[in-house]
Amino acid sequence: VLTDFVTYYIRRPSEGSIVVVTSKIVALGEERTADPKKRVEIIKAESEFALETKHTWLTIKDGTVMSSAGVDESNADGKLILLPKDSYAAAEKLRKVLKRKWKLKKLGVLITDSRLLPLRSGVVGIALGYAGFKGLRDYRGTKDIFGRVLKVSQTDVADSLATAAVLEMGEGKEQKPIALIQSAAVEFAEKVNRHELKMKIEDDVYYPLFKHVRGK
Amino acid sequence: VLTDFVTYYIRRPSEGSIVVVTSKIVALGEERTADPKKRVEIIKAESEFALETKHTWLTIKDGTVMSSAGVDESNADGKLILLPKDSYAAAEKLRKVLKRKWKLKKLGVLITDSRLLPLRSGVVGIALGYAGFKGLRDYRGTKDIFGRVLKVSQTDVADSLATAAVLEMGEGKEQKPIALIQSAAVEFAEKVNRHELKMKIEDDVYYPLFKHVRGK
């Protein structure tokens, strides 16, 4: 179903493209919907950490900080839409089918959602899962322009691509569920390490904020 | 100096473009450098909130959460580079000069830095200041595809553009200090509300995390 939807919307792209799909479409394909009356129950069940805040729930789901475990009521026709069951697996599955269908060697798939940044109004796109490219670019051990070895520099490629795509796909009535990224600064790879973006909470710069609160 | 640098690197773009400049170049133009021995002192002086964490300092500077108040040692030739004094003012100043020089009606300027997201490895780009376009897209009061009125949806356009640009500009030796964004989904405007992206800490979804800690 998802493949038909994608190939209906976009034609065979050039080598080295990334197909971006919103989590909503993937979740609908997986029939991940629920009764709005069960909202709080579901938010708690879907997340590893859940804390009620003034306007929403602050949650950690699959190691990712987001609002309300990604459970969404907008554009849902009266139902709640949950996130896909496993966005990395869904991305890889879609990539395999599209790659074969389009006879491409290098193809990426990226499943996106949106979230709030600390102290910022407005949401930005985030990568829930992806396949076919490296989500993290590593500069550690390379030198800066003055020849000094960089110690900590890594770029979060997957979230950056998701953010760019979600800006173009929009929200609300105008939302486009699919986008195509071409000629981005990305390294394609057949296998993805689904933990590469995850920072251990104890090592995280935000850890001192999390360690004082107990959710759920 | 900054204008010369920009016009050396890029030619007159088409109407509706956004010139992206890294904070580093702007800060160097303002001679915002310091002695590395004074690092901790400067991080504290530059930020409204500063908390030492395992690998770095978690700070709030100009209402924005970032590492070490943006004070950077990479690509700095032995000096610390601080952030620009006022990135919104710097963006507007640069925009005025470039607009006149290039005889353009619609031109944006965006000054970027990079930061870590909660529980994520790798940095993403962030908007420090901008001019010439709306940094926040507002869907509140509009309807979703099923006709239901959206209550909270806003998109953080400025940070999204910064994230896309920083991915392309890179880090380390390969870093390009300037980029050009063309035909983005942006509303151009002569005046910018420099507070539009700022979320009051008490209203923020992350507030429960911040309220338990005392920094500096």
Side-chain angles (χ1 to χ4, degrees), chain A residues 49 51-58 60 63-65 67 73-78 115-128 136-137 139 142-146 148 150 153-157 159-161 163-164 166-168 170-174 183-185 196-206 208-210 212-213, chain B residues 49 51-58 60 63-65 67 73-78 115-128 136-137 139 142-146 148 150 153-157 159-161 163-164 166-168 170-174 183-185 196-206 208-210 212-213:
Chain A
F49 169 92
L51 185 67
E52 193 162 21
T53 71
K54 200 167 169 185
H55 300 292
T56 180
W57 286 77
L58 179 65
I60 301 180
T64 300
V65 182
S67 292
E73 276 181 276
S74 62
N75 288 340
D77 201 12
R115 71 160 160 188
L116 287 159
L117 299 174
L119 305 190
R120 286 295 219 220
S121 287
V123 297
V124 299
I126 182 183
L128 284 181
L136 195 64
R137 190 193 296 157
Y139 297 96
T142 64
K143 288 177 179 171
D144 72 12
I145 57 170
F146 296 103
R148 220 157 48 86
L150 290 165
S153 219
Q154 293 178 297
T155 298
D156 177 351
V157 172
D159 285 317
S160 296
L161 294 171
T163 298
V166 168
L167 179 65
E168 286 298 313
E171 304 258 337
K173 207 172 180 173
E174 69 180 48
S183 59
E196 65 187 346
L197 288 189
K198 282 181 190 144
M199 180 67 93
K200 258 175 61 193
I201 192 160
E202 299 80 14
D203 288 337
D204 197 67
V205 64
Y206 297 90
L209 304 183
F210 283 100
H212 294 285
V213 291
Chain B
F49 169 92
L51 185 67
E52 193 162 20
T53 71
K54 200 168 169 185
H55 300 293
T56 180
W57 286 77
L58 179 65
I60 301 179
T64 301
V65 182
S67 292
E73 276 181 277
S74 62
N75 288 340
D77 201 13
R115 70 160 161 188
L116 287 158
L117 299 174
L119 305 189
R120 285 295 219 221
S121 287
V123 297
V124 299
I126 182 183
L128 284 182
L136 195 64
R137 190 194 295 157
Y139 297 96
T142 65
K143 287 176 179 171
D144 72 12
I145 57 170
F146 297 103
R148 219 158 48 87
L150 291 165
S153 218
Q154 294 178 297
T155 298
D156 177 350
V157 172
D159 285 317
S160 296
L161 293 172
T163 298
V166 167
L167 179 65
E168 286 299 312
E171 304 258 337
K173 206 172 180 174
E174 68 180 48
S183 59
E196 65 187 346
L197 288 189
K198 282 181 190 143
M199 180 68 93
K200 258 174 61 192
I201 192 161
E202 299 80 14
D203 288 337
D204 197 67
V205 63
Y206 297 91
L209 304 184
F210 284 100
H212 294 285
V213 290

Side-chain angles (χ1 to χ4, degrees), chain B residues 3-186:
Chain B
T3 317
D4 295 341
F5 189 80
V6 171
T7 53
Y8 177 81
Y9 269 93
I10 51 177
R11 283 155 191 259
R12 181 187 184 277
S14 52
E15 283 287 351
S17 298
I18 297 171
V19 173
V20 186
V21 189
T22 63
S23 60
K24 210 164 279 186
I25 297 301
V26 180
L28 285 173
E30 295 177 357
E31 300 183 345
R32 296 262 294 161
T33 59
D35 184 341
K37 284 177 202 134
K38 294 187 178 160
R39 187 160 182 275
V40 172
E41 200 178 309
I42 284 167
I43 288 170
K44 287 182 183 173
E46 287 280 305
S47 52
E48 294 110 61
F49 169 92
L51 185 67
E52 193 162 20
T53 71
K54 200 168 169 185
H55 300 293
T56 180
W57 286 77
L58 179 65
T59 56
I60 301 179
K61 177 175 166 57
D62 299 336
T64 301
V65 182
M66 58 178 80
S67 292
S68 307
V71 172
D72 195 359
E73 276 181 277
S74 62
N75 288 340
D77 201 13
K79 284 176 292 184
L80 296 177
I81 306 185
L82 316 191
L83 292 186
K85 191 149 194 295
D86 178 341
S87 295
Y88 281 92
E92 176 58 15
K93 198 176 150 193
L94 180 58
R95 188 182 78 99
K96 269 195 180 151
V97 178
L98 291 175
K99 219 176 148 237
R100 200 168 49 225
K101 192 180 176 87
W102 285 334
K103 297 188 175 68
L104 288 170
K105 284 191 187 97
K106 284 180 183 175
L107 179 72
V109 169
L110 172 60
I111 296 174
T112 61
D113 201 49
S114 54
R115 70 160 161 188
L116 287 158
L117 299 174
L119 305 189
R120 285 295 219 221
S121 287
V123 297
V124 299
I126 182 183
L128 284 182
Y130 52 92
F133 63 92
K134 290 195 177 171
L136 195 64
R137 190 194 295 157
D138 207 331
Y139 297 96
R140 288 174 305 177
T142 65
K143 287 176 179 171
D144 72 12
I145 57 170
F146 297 103
R148 219 158 48 87
V149 175
L150 291 165
K151 281 184 202 126
V152 291
S153 218
Q154 294 178 297
T155 298
D156 177 350
V157 172
D159 285 317
S160 296
L161 293 172
T163 298
V166 167
L167 179 65
E168 286 299 312
M169 294 194 283
E171 304 258 337
K173 206 172 180 174
E174 68 180 48
Q175 190 178 53
K176 296 162 225 155
I178 291 180
L180 193 66
I181 296 174
Q182 284 174 307
S183 59
V186 163

